[in-house]
Amino acid sequence: MSINAAPTGAEAAVEKTGQRATVPTQRGGRRKPPLSENKKAERKLGLLLCAPAALVMVLVTAYPIIYSFWLSLQRYDLRFPDQREFIGLENYVTVLSNEFWWTAFGVTTLITVVTVAVELVLGMGLAIIMHRTLVGRGLVRTSALIPYGIVTVVAAFSWRYAWTPGTGYLADLFSDGAPLTERASALAIIMLAEIWKTTPFMALLLMAGLALVPEDLLKAASTDGATAWQKFTKVMLPVMKPAILVALLFRTLDAFRVFDNIFVLTAGGNETSSVSMLAYNNLLRGLNLGIGSTMSVLIFLTVAIIAFVFVKLFGTAAPGSDDGERR
Amino acid sequence: MADIVLDKVSKSFPDGTVAVQDVDLEIADGEFVILVGPSGCGKSTTLNMIAGLEDISSGELRIGGQRVNDKAPRDRDIAMVFQSYALYPNMTVRENMAFPLRLAKLDKETIDQKVDEAAKVLELVPLLDRKPANLSGGQRQRVAMGRAIVRQPKAFLMDEPLSNLDAKLRVQMRTVVSRLQKKLGTTTVYVTHDQTEAMTLGDRVVIMRGGAVQQVGAPQELYDHPRNLFVAGFIGSPSMNFLHAAVQDGGLHTALGDVPLGDRVRRELEAADAPRELILGIRPEHFEDAELVDEDTRRRGIEFEAPVDIVESMGSDKYVYFTVEGERASAAELEELAADAGAADFAGAGGNLVTRLSAESPVVEGQSRRVWFNLEKIHLFDPTNGRNLTLHEGRAAGALAD
Ligand SMILES: Nc1ncnc2c1ncn2[C@@H]1O[C@H](COP(=O)(O)OP(=O)(O)OP(=O)(O)O)[C@@H](O)[C@H]1O
Ligand SMILES: [Mg+2]
């Protein structure tokens, strides 16, 4: 029974980080150094209003996080339950000096950077198209969102069949080998599947940002002599910056936890494992709760660092903090 | 600097809305022209077409003698000021004002010099390094003006630039705009909702209704010689009084008594298709307390007696509201005007008569009072098409003209 509890707990811990990160994010954006009495009272009220939600979250997330951390400090392999023992940070040394971990870490980082970058560009294009279309707007938006509506595992299976030699239409079209069995092409296919799946989500977030750009601002830029490109880079992007950062934050956190596509497409073969795959393999396949939990905690830390960096970016560079006062 | 010519310009939107219809307008170089009209009459659309922000469906637009229908906004060399100010939130005041110059690829020194100059004119110097979010409404408005004037465009287009300011600031900014325009001598088209702005700012006023131009002229001319019912009711505050008038044996029967008619109006009414009912329009200042009118003047008008509702003493004169019985004047134009002004502001067609009497008038609320009004100043409108029947060669001549 406890076998299941640990991994779900660990996963939940990672899961929650993504959500928690948004809370300080928003607060960070509005932070103003000197607080008047009035502002203090307002802030107190704000904290009180947040308290119930925060409390529930602590209850739900704190236990699994603490429990995984506790597990990560032990030698605890379910195949050898007798050898269970407190060993301090030894698991961390083991993991961090392990080349599989670093390979997986590299793969995950690569997937994160490439997919998020491509998704940002494609998502922006899609968002603009969805925002601008006048005829058949509903149809355009709905069809653009279809990939996002499909369950990831289902989509992953259809990609797998498509790339399987003999039966798949894509495999026959693009290569004569088995692309999912070669590392480079397998990674490319994983990234393709990720991008196909989550670009609509990116587009949706960016479209909300586009709606923030007042029509008059673009008109003003037109009469001021801006070309379409200058309007985009000099007016739209700066105004959208907070929305872009939010979209990037969400997607980066999500992308770093990539699992389903890899699980279905390659099962981590040929060094295509992500860190989440590796943790899963150690926890559930290897039944090594100590090492698996250590990996979960490390993923948690990485995700926390990513969130922290984004929050810093918000704090310094959001023109929204200027805009915000006009609410 | 340049003149702007609209030649039968129309705009219909893809959904079939015709926002602007066959507008003919010649705006001279350096002229200050005001577009007014009720909400939705096509003022902004007209302005956007001049700016190039909306395509022109038909007709021709010439700026400085050159057809610009197909030119992008950036190639028309016009500057626009918006009601929302439309300042770039990520840029400081200086950067906002420098933006059009930077896009025009001027060198940094020239840009700085021009921005400083404009900032001085608009008293923005201490604010140059602030972001728009940290400015007051009036300051934002001045920055928007600054951004428009720095590059010395061919024309300024302003879409209700002062509407978001409070009353006092609006008066201040009005003089700023007026002075700036005189100083720079740049052709300006200014859209407003505000009577006072329309009457005080411009050289000429264009009154629009439902996408069509009703009348173009100097403010005083529109006030004295309205071409139709709509213009008459739109210009003036408090607005003109409108009464139902039935044509009867060469005269008019109204709630204020029987009004004699001069030969000219009578001839008009003899035509076969002439209306049997008219709308009589008379401005508040053309009434006077009957006691205070001398014999000579008395002959030019008629008198009536009515109960006094409210007296508002303004010091220099008194606004006196009377209740009058009788049929209401009704016409599509009047309903439209009432809807636009909000029923409270437009008493024109109701059972209320607004008069402006001399301050010496001993009028008391609740009592009856004899009042005289000037027949030479009244207007008669055809309720079916709103045409002013008393207008002769562009001049209003009153009811008695021969
Ligand atoms: N994009 C559009 N599609 C369809 N109809 C439009 C569009 N934009 C404006 N209209 C219509 O065109 C007409 C004129 O609009 P416009 O904005 O020019 O009015 P306006 O005189 O500026 O009014 P206001 O004083 O309220 O600003 C209105 O009836 C409006 O509903
Ligand atoms: Mg408008």
Side-chain angles (χ1 to χ4, degrees), chain A residues 265-286:
Chain A
L265 285 170
T266 65
N270 290 312
E271 303 189 329
T272 54
S273 273
S274 68
V275 282
S276 297
M277 276 294 294
L278 207 60
Y280 166 85
N281 280 337
N282 277 286
L283 274 167
L284 285 178
R285 292 250 183 94

Side-chain angles (χ1 to χ4, degrees), chain B residues 243-248 251-259 278 280:
Chain B
L243 299 157
H244 177 262
V247 182
Q248 253 172 18
L252 292 175
H253 183 69
T254 75
L256 303 183
D258 287 329
V259 176
L278 300 180
L280 183 150

Side-chain angles (χ1 to χ4, degrees), chain A residues 191-270:
Chain A
M191 289 193 265
L192 178 71
E194 280 282 301
I195 290 166
W196 177 82
K197 166 86 189 148
T198 46
T199 298
F201 178 65
M202 191 68 132
L204 212 57
L205 291 177
L206 292 176
M207 202 169 70
L210 278 178
L212 287 180
V213 183
E215 202 58 34
D216 276 356
L217 219 52
L218 298 176
K219 287 186 180 177
S222 292
T223 54
D224 279 345
T227 59
W229 179 249
Q230 284 167 327
K231 273 193 280 181
F232 179 65
T233 55
K234 298 205 153 84
V235 179
M236 278 164 86
L237 282 186
V239 174
M240 284 178 70
K241 195 164 180 177
I244 294 174
L245 285 178
V246 168
L248 284 181
L249 173 68
F250 279 7
R251 278 306 307 138
T252 310
L253 295 185
D254 254 6
F256 197 80
R257 293 178 290 122
V258 55
F259 182 86
D260 325 32
N261 272 319
I262 301 180
F263 186 87
V264 173
L265 285 170
T266 65
N270 290 312

